[in-house]
Every structure is written in C-alpha cells, then in structure tokens.
Amino acid sequence: MSPPVHATVHRPGSDDAALVQAYLNHVRVEKRLADRTVILYTLDLERLTAHAREAGVALLAVQNPHIRRWVAQMHGAGRSARGIALILSGWRGFYVWLGRQGLIDHNPVQDVRAPKAGKPLPKALGVDEAVQLASHHEASDDPALEARDACITELLYGCGLRIGELVGLDVLASGSARGWIDAQAGEAHVLGKGSKRRSVPVGQQALAALHAWLLLRPAWAGDDAALFIGSRGQRLTPQHIRVRLKRRSLLAGLATPVHPHMLRHSFASHVLQSSGDLRAVQELLGHASISTTQVYTRLDFQHLAQVYDAAHPRAGSRAGQAPEPLPDSPRLERAVKPATRGPRSR
C-alpha cells in the first residue's frame, strides 16, 4: 500500500533546494567533512529530492512509509544492500539536522534498515599460491629491498599479522616498542586491536628471512627503531607495504593482486584446514570473539566442497554436471594435496 501524500509544509526557508544547501553548508563548514564526503552527501540528497518530487511530497513532509517504499524501489532496481545502507545514513543525518533546527518533530528514516546483505567470504590464497609468493625471489631488485620484501611476506603469511602489527615492529624489544620479534624463542610479540598484546609463533622460513633482512638492514638504517624501513631509514607505512606486496604478487605470477590482509586470511584458512582447531586460530589471530574466527570454517568447508567436486565420481550430480573421473585419476592427488599442507613449518 502506497504511503499517503502529505501536503507541502510552508515555512520560511522550507524550500527543498534551500534546505539541502543549508545542510551541505553545515557539514562542509561546521563539521568540516572531507570534500569527497560532501560530494557523496550531495548525491544522496539529490536522490532523496528526486524521490520526494516524484511522490509529490516536500522533504519536510516525508514520512516513514515513503522511505521504506524508496528503499524497496532501490533494492528492486538492483542496488546493493551496502549501497542502500550508505544512502540511508546520508538521509538519516539530514533529518537529524532538520530536527535540531526545529523543522520536523520526527525522523522519517528512524528504524529503517537496508536489506540484509550476505557476509562475503574473506579472500584467501590457495596453499600453493601462498608458498609461490613467499618463495619468490626478485633478482632485479636491490638485494636489501628483496630481502626486506621477502621478510614482510613471510611474516604476514607465516604469522597472520595485521598490517598495523607488522609496521609497528621494532628491531629490539623496549618499553616503548609496539612490537618486536624474539628470534631465539621464535616468537613475534605484537600490539593488536584494542591495544591487546599477543605472542605468535614464527616459523623457520620467516626466521631465515628475518635473519637475511637484518644482515642488510644496516645499509639503510638511520635513527628509526623500526624493523621495516625504506632506503632513507624511515619506518614503512601501510600503504607502502600494500604497493610492494601487490607488485611482488604480480612478479611472482599470481593471477590475483595480493594485499596484506589476504595473507592473514590465507594463514588462518590454511592452519584451520590442517589442524581443525578453531580456538587455536582465534588465539593466533588475536580475535576477541570466536564468532569472528568462525568465518574461516566457511572457507574450510568451501575448500572441502571443491575437493569433493573435483575428486568424487558422483559429485557431478550435485550441480547437475557430468561425473568427474574416478579416484584412480591423478586429479585426486592434486585436489587433496592443499589440505595436507599448512603455513610454512616452524
């Protein structure tokens, strides 16, 4: 049932365009929002104005049923749940401001939610791809640069570190250090989310890469205590590491450009595939809640389903496809091989 059409409220300054402009001036000047954010708010309010005009209702007279109908229309037109949620956020802020100006007595966007979006699975590399990336050697790079990038890759994949934890590592332990690596004990001590510290095992491959980098690091070292520095001796930024890792993944021949968090997902997925110990993965990742870690069980099941589809002679019937070759095919060995290998051993 369509919402009733309300008459335009005639008040000084209630012209729709003037109201929108006044609000945009408010977020630009008083709230000092970024130009990009103001542009997005502008687009959101242009969309709201167009819907109101089509419905024959002024912005001050929009009611909750109008908003719900427009959300349904956007959803039906194929707009994503996340996109609708962002639009609603823009509309909600506008009506909150109108309420503070005393122009409306209720917020029509209140309690309106975007359609529920399916939670996407984290993107993880296959075991062979992850090892291919970690084992890659770029001979054309400066030896110190290659050693540093190799060490970064080994720690991201071998320890499941967040990029913020990685860039926070210092060469030596100290009272001011956010994190460091105890090579003798084979442990990385990091400062994670919520300023919570945790210790993570460091495997042999990562320790070897660390040793190689530390031998060459003095050529660049300045006064910075950071473990990972650039050629000018300054601590690397997360963005610098993202660029270097993407470049490394392409040079290593991977089809997908790799970002740091993808290696963290790969670490978690491969440990879970090999061990089946969700609690251990939670501790290694530093998740406060087991529910955050449970997403990797979906990845693990997805991996098992792919093995089943590739190897079982009756799997084709699941998707209405022709049956796969019988288990004596070499394809079976290739399909199950990743499940037996985890991150690089300690």
Side-chain angles (χ1 to χ4, degrees):
M1 180 176 177
S2 298
V5 176
H6 293 259
T8 301
V9 177
H10 295 285
R11 295 182 186 178
S14 66
D15 173 73
D16 287 352
L19 287 174
V20 168
Q21 191 56 53
Y23 175 67
L24 293 175
N25 288 339
H26 163 70
V27 298
R28 182 186 297 110
V29 177
E30 297 181 34
K31 298 188 71 175
R32 297 183 181 181
L33 297 184
D35 290 342
R36 174 62 179 165
T37 305
V38 175
I39 291 172
L40 294 176
Y41 279 10
T42 302
L43 295 174
D44 291 342
L45 295 178
E46 285 176 355
R47 187 176 287 107
L48 175 66
T49 302
H51 281 303
R53 187 185 305 115
E54 185 179 342
V57 60
L59 291 180
L60 291 176
V62 168
Q63 302 295 313
N64 186 274
H66 289 110
I67 300 294
R68 293 184 184 280
R69 183 176 68 182
W70 298 336
V71 166
Q73 289 173 351
M74 288 189 289
H75 186 55
R79 185 170 293 276
S80 70
R82 175 171 170 76
I84 294 173
L86 291 172
I87 291 169
L88 283 174
S89 177
W91 293 359
R92 193 174 292 112
F94 173 60
Y95 279 105
V96 166
W97 177 80
L98 289 177
R100 289 173 180 167
Q101 306 306 306
L103 296 176
I104 57 173
D105 56 11
H106 70 283
N107 188 337
V109 193
Q110 192 70 30
D111 299 325
V112 180
R113 297 288 179 266
K116 190 172 182 180
K119 195 171 183 180
L121 285 173
K123 294 180 179 179
L125 297 173
V127 173
D128 290 336
E129 290 177 311
V131 173
Q132 179 181 340
L133 176 64
S135 303
H136 176 71
H137 178 81
E138 189 54 43
S140 63
D141 279 346
D142 175 272
L145 187 63
E146 163 58 24
R148 185 201 66 186
D149 290 356
C151 185
I152 286 172
T153 305
E154 287 284 2
L155 288 175
L156 287 172
Y157 174 55
C159 302
L161 301 184
R162 299 180 178 94
I163 189 169
E165 296 167 348
L166 182 86
V167 299
L169 292 172
D170 281 358
V171 175
L172 299 173
S174 70
S176 60
R178 290 171 52 196
W180 64 90
I181 295 177
D182 184 340
Q184 252 190 331
E187 293 179 349
H189 302 276
V190 298
L191 186 67
K193 283 188 175 180
S195 297
K196 294 180 179 178
R197 291 197 175 275
R198 76 180 190 282
S199 299
V200 184
V202 182
Q204 290 179 357
Q205 298 283 354
L207 288 173
L210 175 65
H211 178 70
W213 162 235
L214 289 177
L215 287 177
L216 297 172
R217 181 183 177 278
W220 290 355
D223 297 329
D224 205 312
L227 174 59
F228 294 114
I229 56 176
S231 57
R232 297 181 180 178
Q234 296 178 326
R235 187 183 298 268
L236 293 185
T237 65
Q239 181 57 26
H240 191 110
I241 290 177
R242 290 188 188 98
V243 171
R244 295 298 303 177
L245 187 58
K246 179 179 179 180
R247 174 182 181 271
R248 184 179 182 85
S249 65
L250 295 175
L251 290 174
L254 271 65
T256 304
V258 175
H259 56 80
H261 220 67
M262 189 183 294
L263 290 182
R264 178 171 161 88
H265 292 323
S266 303
F267 164 85
S269 177
H270 299 165
V271 169
L272 187 60
Q273 285 175 19
S274 297
S275 69
D277 192 334
L278 191 63
R279 284 288 179 187
V281 174
Q282 178 192 2
E283 292 294 323
L284 290 169
L285 293 176
H287 285 163
S289 170
I290 191 70
S291 62
T292 308
T293 318
Q294 282 174 335
V295 66
Y296 296 107
T297 63
R298 294 169 61 197
L299 271 182
D300 192 32
F301 177 79
Q302 185 182 62
H303 164 78
L304 293 175
Q306 289 170 350
V307 170
Y308 171 79
D309 287 339
H312 197 282
R314 307 293 287 178
S317 59
R318 252 189 2 128
Q321 300 170 351
E324 295 289 338
L326 291 173
D328 58 359
S329 165
R331 185 172 183 177
L332 176 64
E333 181 183 352
R334 292 198 302 273
V336 300
K337 190 176 181 181
T340 64
R341 298 170 57 185
R344 319 197 84 183
S345 61
R346 185 174 174 183

